[in-house]
Amino acid sequence: MLALLILFFTVLLLVAFTPLLGYFENKWILPLMWGLFAAFTLLGWLVFLGIGWLNF
C-alpha cells in the first residue's frame, strides 16, 4: 500500500511540473503531455464507470 501511495504522489508531482516543462525546447515534452492527458482521461472514465457499476 505504501508503494502505491509513493507511486501516486510521484505521478502527481510529474503532472504538477509538466507545464513548467513547456518552457524547454525538447521534442519529447508535448507527447508526454498528450500521453498524460490521454491516460488520466481514460483512468477517470474507468473509475467513473467502475463506481457506477459497483454501486458505491
Side-chain angles (χ1 to χ4, degrees), residues 4-53:
L4 187 63
L5 186 65
I6 290 171
L7 178 68
F8 177 71
F9 280 118
T10 304
V11 169
L12 281 182
L13 202 66
L14 178 66
V15 169
F17 282 111
T18 301
L20 296 176
L21 292 175
Y23 290 112
F24 299 112
E25 295 294 327
N26 296 335
K27 293 190 182 280
W28 56 269
I29 292 171
L30 187 60
L32 172 71
M33 293 171 82
W34 278 112
L36 287 174
F37 173 74
F40 280 104
T41 301
L42 290 175
L43 285 173
W45 273 106
L46 287 174
V47 168
F48 174 73
L49 294 174
I51 287 173
W53 182 63

